[in-house]
């Protein structure tokens, strides 16, 4: 059962059980290369330990599905509600986010036992013909866990980047140096009234709804992502030293944090290297640039005489492209160079989350999910920018054209990059 589909017959419930099992097993496989110490340490307040991700996603199922619907459900440990609640005020106080790395106990082994306890209860519940509401919450929990699978990997990368040994999480796929990327060119698109957002009965987060009309001017969109070779030119031309290219807040952040290149880049004997989940490796000029903030993406676009697309402009194009690309299942674990043989738009999905010029705000007639799940997205609709398309560590079944990711404009540790846009007929 694709995660986007709705429940129906008993066979649908059987398929949902398989999907649930697959999602849970995928999380467990992601921590297989980690020691208990790897899974415990927190490298910065914005990141969380791998062990916490495993426990929090289990807490989500336990709290929203099991405890809410099974009167005689036995909690694995009553303390876990305090330890592994993330931001749900409706469920009371919680352990401070910046101090998650202090939780040396419970151990990774105990967390895996907690997961097994929750898994068994959910699978038993699915055998009992649960109500449509419970089924939808389980499906929400699966998508929620897939979000944390990506976060787990981005947080491990940030953690390992702090280690002078530059440890390898896991060697990914083919490590050969890609050929030069296809020349960037623009495709033009008509303006007018279009529709964006999730429609129909397929699964979508509340922030993707409702489907609605948007007016856009004629525009053009690059046929591929911005690559490292172009970013190196931006650096060489003083892009990180020219305040005229930067938004005021971005320039202040650059000065305070001493940004001079994308996160994880370091210069060695005149050559840029970067930290990846496969360890330290030379920056490949043909691969999409990654680990840049919205501020950096916006400055680069201005330097390149372009701009970032709005999310409506991006979605209008994405709807005409299949959801395929370099995702977590590719096992490359880093962005890949665009295909030189493919025509038309490339890399609309996978590789890197693409920054847009759109603030994360409610769509017209937006209504948050009911109950405690109302805290899932709506309360974060301030001070965040929208990203689209998924990344090389996003599960492919998690993504769709209407999907709206969001992060603060200074966030760099995610697999975030950019695609250039412009106004139609612009010289």
């Amino acid at each position: 059962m694709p995660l986007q589909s709705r429940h129906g017959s008993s066979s649908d419930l059987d398929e949902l059980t398989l999907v649930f099992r697959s999602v849970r097993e995928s999380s467990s496989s992601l921590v297989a290369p980690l020691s208990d110490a790897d899974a415990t340490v927190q490298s910065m307040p914005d990141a969380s330990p791998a062990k916490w991700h495993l426990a929090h996603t289990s807490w989500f199922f336990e709290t929203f599905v099991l405890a809410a619907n099974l009167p005689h459900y036995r909690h694995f440990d009553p303390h876990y509600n305090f330890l592994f609640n993330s931001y749900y005020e409706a469920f009371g106080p919680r352990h401070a986010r910046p101090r998650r790395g202090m939780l040396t106990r419970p151990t990774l082994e105990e967390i895996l036992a907690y997961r097994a306890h929750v898994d068994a209860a959910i699978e038993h519940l699915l055998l009992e013909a649960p109500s449509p509401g419970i089924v939808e919450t389980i499906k929400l929990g699966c998508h929620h866990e897939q979000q944390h699978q990506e976060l787990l990997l981005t947080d491990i990368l940030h953690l390992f980047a702090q280690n002078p040994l530059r440890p390898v999480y896991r060697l990914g796929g083919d490590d050969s140096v890609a050929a030069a990327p296809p020349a960037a060119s623009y495709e033009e698109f008509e303006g007018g009234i279009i529709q964006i957002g999730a429609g129909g009965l397929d699964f979508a987060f509340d922030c993707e709804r409702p489907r609605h009309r948007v007016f856009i001017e004629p525009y053009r969109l690059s046929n591929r992502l911005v690559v490292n070779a172009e970013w190196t030119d931006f650096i060489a031309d003083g892009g990180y030293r020219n305040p005229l290219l930067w938004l005021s807040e971005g320039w202040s952040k650059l000065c305070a944090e001493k940004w001079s290149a994308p996160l994880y880049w370091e210069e060695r004997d005149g050559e840029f290297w970067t930290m990846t989940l496969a360890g330290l490796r030379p920056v490949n000029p043909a691969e999409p640039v990654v680990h840049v903030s919205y501020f950096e993406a916006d400055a680069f676009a201005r330097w390149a005489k372009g701009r970032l697309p709005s999310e409506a402009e991006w979605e209008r194009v994405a709807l005409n492209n299949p959801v395929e690309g370099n995702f977590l299942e590719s096992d490359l674990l880093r962005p890949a160079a665009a295909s030189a043989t493919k025509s038309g738009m490339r890399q609309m999905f996978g590789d890197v989350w693409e920054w847009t010029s759109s603030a994360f705000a409610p769509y017209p007639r937006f209504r948050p999910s009911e109950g405690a799940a109302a805290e899932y997205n709506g309360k974060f609709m301030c001070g965040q920018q929208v990203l689209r398309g998924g990344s090389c560590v996003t599960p492919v079944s998690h993504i769709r054209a209407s999907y709206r990711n969001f992060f603060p404009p200074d966030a760099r540790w995610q697999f975030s990059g950019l695609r250039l846009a412009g106004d139609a007929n612009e010289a």
Side-chain angles (χ1 to χ4, degrees):
M1 169 189 276
L3 276 180
Q4 277 77 14
S5 65
R6 286 257 179 187
H7 61 87
S9 65
S10 59
S11 63
D12 289 336
L13 292 177
D14 292 340
E15 291 183 51
L16 179 56
T17 300
L18 294 177
V19 168
F20 170 78
R21 191 176 298 161
S22 175
V23 168
R24 299 289 281 174
E25 289 174 352
S26 178
S27 297
S28 297
S29 71
L30 292 178
V31 299
L34 304 178
S35 67
D36 193 288
D38 292 333
T40 299
V41 178
Q42 181 178 19
S43 57
M44 64 170 175
D46 283 340
S48 296
K51 192 168 67 177
W52 188 91
H53 286 297
L54 293 177
H56 168 70
T57 49
S58 301
W59 171 89
F60 187 96
F61 283 111
E62 184 174 62
T63 302
F64 286 85
V65 179
L66 299 173
N69 296 288
L70 296 179
H72 302 295
Y73 173 73
R74 178 181 60 83
H75 284 79
F76 184 84
D77 187 322
H79 296 98
Y80 285 8
N81 186 62
F82 177 81
L83 294 180
F84 302 123
N85 182 359
S86 54
Y87 51 73
Y88 294 92
E89 301 288 347
F91 291 98
R94 61 210 151 274
H95 189 69
R97 179 173 180 170
R99 297 179 60 82
R100 291 173 183 170
M102 306 298 288
L103 298 176
T104 58
R105 304 293 178 90
T107 65
L108 178 58
E109 183 179 10
E110 289 170 316
I111 293 303
L112 293 175
Y114 174 40
R115 288 178 65 81
H117 173 86
V118 170
D119 290 352
I122 291 289
E123 292 203 25
H124 177 76
L125 180 61
L126 283 168
L127 291 173
E128 300 297 318
S131 69
I134 294 174
V135 169
E136 289 303 305
T137 305
I138 292 174
K139 197 175 297 181
L140 172 63
C142 289
H143 279 275
H144 169 256
E145 181 141 354
Q146 288 183 315
Q147 290 179 315
H148 279 272
Q149 289 168 356
E150 177 157 359
L151 289 169
L152 188 154
L153 290 174
T154 57
D155 294 353
I156 283 294
L157 174 57
H158 189 270
L159 172 64
F160 281 10
Q162 313 313 307
N163 189 326
L165 299 177
R166 300 296 194 267
V168 172
Y169 162 74
R170 191 176 77 214
L171 294 175
D174 179 23
D175 200 47
S176 60
V177 176
S185 63
Y186 284 92
E187 293 200 15
E188 298 206 355
F189 300 91
E190 295 180 352
I193 296 175
I194 64 169
Q195 287 196 331
I196 66 168
L201 299 178
D202 288 349
F203 176 88
F205 290 115
D206 56 6
C207 65
E208 300 173 57
R209 298 186 188 278
R211 191 161 177 79
H212 61 286
R213 292 171 297 175
V214 177
F215 178 81
I216 56 174
E217 298 287 347
Y219 68 103
R220 57 183 191 156
L221 195 64
S222 177
N223 68 335
R224 65 160 169 81
L225 299 167
V226 170
V227 299
N228 290 323
E230 293 160 333
W231 203 273
T232 303
D233 291 341
F234 172 66
I235 294 172
D237 196 44
Y240 282 90
R241 301 190 302 273
N242 183 357
L244 299 180
L245 298 174
W246 294 76
L247 296 170
S248 177
E249 185 178 346
W251 182 253
S252 296
K253 193 70 176 180
L254 176 153
C255 294
E257 302 291 335
K258 296 181 170 53
W259 291 348
S260 60
L263 183 64
Y264 305 134
W265 282 32
E266 53 186 82
E267 194 169 2
R268 295 186 172 190
D269 300 323
E271 183 181 17
F272 283 115
W273 289 63
T274 187
M275 183 62 182
T276 72
L277 287 166
L280 196 66
R281 62 191 294 271
V283 168
N284 188 327
E287 292 176 357
V289 68
V290 67
H291 302 302
V292 294
S293 66
Y294 168 78
F295 290 135
E296 290 165 286
D298 178 77
F300 178 92
R302 193 169 290 109
W303 172 81
K305 304 297 190 293
R307 60 175 175 81
L308 299 178
S310 70
E311 62 174 327
E313 291 172 335
W314 186 94
E315 185 173 329
R316 185 261 189 89
V317 177
L319 284 169
N320 294 319
N321 285 263
V323 180
E324 58 185 27
N326 174 26
F327 289 100
L328 177 62
E329 290 78 5
S330 303
D331 201 37
L332 187 62
L333 303 181
R334 69 170 192 274
S339 169
T341 59
K342 180 180 178 181
S343 60
M345 302 300 293
R346 300 169 171 89
Q347 303 171 302
M348 291 299 295
F349 296 99
D351 287 306
V352 302
W353 287 101
E354 301 180 32
W355 286 108
T356 73
S357 61
S358 300
F360 184 53
Y363 283 160
R365 307 185 312 280
F366 166 75
R367 295 292 183 272
S369 299
E370 296 181 358
E375 296 189 67
Y376 201 98
N377 287 308
K379 70 181 188 179
F380 297 111
M381 291 176 171
C382 179
Q384 316 253 17
Q385 291 295 129
V386 172
L387 303 95
R388 293 300 198 110
S391 82
C392 55
V393 293
T394 305
V396 64
S397 63
H398 184 63
I399 208 67
R400 52 200 164 269
S402 63
Y403 194 107
R404 307 174 79 199
N405 198 358
F406 56 93
F407 278 99
D410 62 345
R412 310 175 84 206
W413 92 108
Q414 294 301 307
F415 282 85
S416 50
L418 70 152
R419 179 188 307 269
L420 293 177
D423 298 329
N425 303 315
E426 191 174 292

